[in-house]
């Protein structure tokens, strides 16, 4: 049976990127899904670059058994030498597999770039407090404040019964129930309501 699925990744912006040789970096982001790679456009000399909203499309995700996306941030070497990786964000895919056809936008923490396959594996498993990662963080002052805003949408046309590439028993039901009880300390009397937002989904209370 053939499985038709895809992943749409929009790299929107980054904030508080580290400088390179004391100057604001000229950056692009490389998204890695399994063995497939796609890149954004370059943004010149900015520690808070905006990459636009052009989607990067990846196909046949389930067949790859991919559990996480890697988003590498590179400084473009204008002198023609090797580009410099200044950080990476690791994005687990469980939430997107559980919520197909729902675009989800989030700010992701930027980690120091791995220098070995072992460090990359540690990042994917969430072991970002390793001694090696701490060492690399010490060389990239300020990276703990760097963030990357990405919108991701998973789409599929898969028959029921096709196994997903993770243990579904470990994932809670894809439902969030929010109860607004009361609000105190408003600056003035008003007819107010509360709007709760999760990613791009919004729900409002009564006035």
């Amino acid at each position: 049976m053939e499985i038709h699925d895809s992943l749409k990744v929009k790299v929107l912006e980054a904030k508080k990127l580290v400088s390179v040789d004391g100057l604001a970096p000229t950056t692009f982001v490389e998204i890695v899904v399994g063995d497939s790679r796609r890149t954004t456009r370059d943004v010149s000399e900015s520690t808070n670059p905006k990459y636009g909203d052009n989607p990067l499309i990846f196909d046949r995700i389930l067949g790859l058994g991919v559990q996480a996306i890697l988003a590498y941030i590179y400084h473009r070497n204008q002198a023609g030498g090797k580009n410099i990786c200044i950080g990476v964000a690791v994005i687990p895919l469980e939430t997107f597999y559980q919520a197909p056809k729902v675009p989800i936008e989030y700010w992701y923490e930027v980690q120091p770039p791995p220098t070995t396959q072992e460090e990359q594996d540690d990042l994917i498993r969430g072991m970002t407090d390793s001694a090696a990662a701490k060492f690399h963080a010490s060389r990239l002052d300020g990276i703990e404040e760097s963030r990357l805003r990405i919108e991701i949408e998973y789409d599929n046309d898969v028959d029921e019964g096709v196994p997903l590439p993770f243990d579904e028993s470990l994932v809670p039901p894809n439902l969030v129930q929010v109860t607004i009880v009361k609000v105190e300390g408003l600056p003035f009397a008003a007819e107010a309501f509360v709007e709760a937002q999760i990613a791009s989904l919004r729900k409002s209370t009564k006035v």
Side-chain angles (χ1 to χ4, degrees):
M1 181 188 64
E2 190 172 3
I3 298 173
H4 302 279
D5 68 336
S6 64
L7 200 65
K8 181 188 299 183
V9 182
K10 294 181 180 180
V11 182
L12 302 174
E13 62 179 313
K15 67 178 180 180
K16 297 186 178 179
L17 296 182
V18 296
S19 299
V20 176
D21 296 330
L23 300 174
T26 293
T27 58
F28 65 94
V29 179
E30 180 182 61
I31 300 296
V32 179
V33 180
D35 294 329
S36 299
R37 298 169 181 263
R38 308 278 191 276
T39 59
T40 68
R41 68 182 183 90
D42 288 12
V43 177
S44 298
E45 300 178 353
S46 175
T47 56
N48 299 288
K50 297 184 184 298
Y51 299 102
D53 60 357
N54 291 329
L56 307 176
I57 308 296
F58 299 85
D59 296 317
R60 303 182 185 277
I61 307 303
L62 286 182
L64 299 175
V66 176
Q67 298 185 21
I69 293 173
L70 297 174
Y72 290 97
I73 305 172
Y74 284 95
H75 165 66
R76 178 78 70 185
N77 190 330
Q78 303 293 342
K82 185 177 181 180
N83 297 323
I84 301 170
C85 184
I86 60 175
V88 59
V90 181
I91 307 168
L93 287 174
E94 289 92 335
T95 297
F96 308 102
Y97 286 140
Q98 289 290 313
K101 306 182 191 304
V102 178
I104 299 175
E105 178 187 310
Y106 193 74
W107 281 101
Y108 294 95
E109 182 180 359
V110 176
Q111 304 286 342
T115 58
T116 65
Q117 184 63 46
E118 182 180 2
E119 288 181 23
Q120 178 171 298
D121 293 342
D122 283 351
L123 281 172
I124 293 176
R125 288 194 298 265
M127 299 170 61
T128 55
D129 59 344
S130 65
K134 289 181 179 178
F135 170 76
H136 290 297
S138 69
R139 297 188 302 145
L140 293 168
D141 184 34
I143 196 170
E144 67 276 2
E145 298 180 357
S146 300
R147 296 291 184 272
L148 187 63
R149 186 164 70 96
I150 297 179
E151 180 188 290
I152 299 174
E153 181 179 354
Y154 174 71
D155 193 5
N156 67 21
D157 183 13
V158 182
D159 293 339
E160 291 186 10
V162 174
L164 294 176
F166 61 90
D167 186 349
E168 294 182 76
S169 66
L170 301 179
V171 181
N174 186 33
L175 172 68
V176 176
Q177 179 172 312
V178 179
T179 302
I180 308 297
V181 180
K182 67 176 180 177
V183 179
E184 296 181 342
L186 293 178
F188 53 86
E191 294 185 351
F193 66 92
V194 176
E195 181 178 73
Q197 178 174 351
I198 300 177
S200 60
L201 306 178
R202 301 182 182 215
K203 296 290 184 181
S204 301
T205 65
K206 297 179 180 179
V207 175

